[in-house]
Amino acid sequence: MRGIWKWVGLAGVAGVVAGGVLVARDQRRRNAYTPDDIRARLHQRLAEAERTE
């Protein structure tokens, strides 16, 4: 019975680590944009939205 809890705990730790990796990757992707890049993308989206109306 003790071995089962060891595996359950190990799986939990692995899940937390995997979640941290995903959060870090997403944060790096968001930080890669400069304010000028974000502004240009927003202007592009606005122009596309105005064309579809």
Side-chain angles (χ1 to χ4, degrees):
M1 191 69 176
R2 194 169 158 200
I4 291 173
W5 289 112
K6 188 183 295 185
W7 285 107
V8 169
L10 187 59
V13 169
V16 169
V17 169
V21 167
L22 293 176
V23 168
R25 185 187 327 164
D26 186 48
Q27 185 66 28
R28 267 187 264 123
R29 189 178 306 147
R30 274 188 268 132
N31 287 341
Y33 295 118
T34 65
D36 292 331
D37 292 338
I38 295 170
R39 190 175 303 113
R41 291 181 74 185
L42 287 173
H43 285 295
Q44 180 183 8
R45 286 184 186 176
L46 178 63
E48 289 173 2
E50 288 175 345
R51 272 186 269 156
T52 59
E53 290 181 354

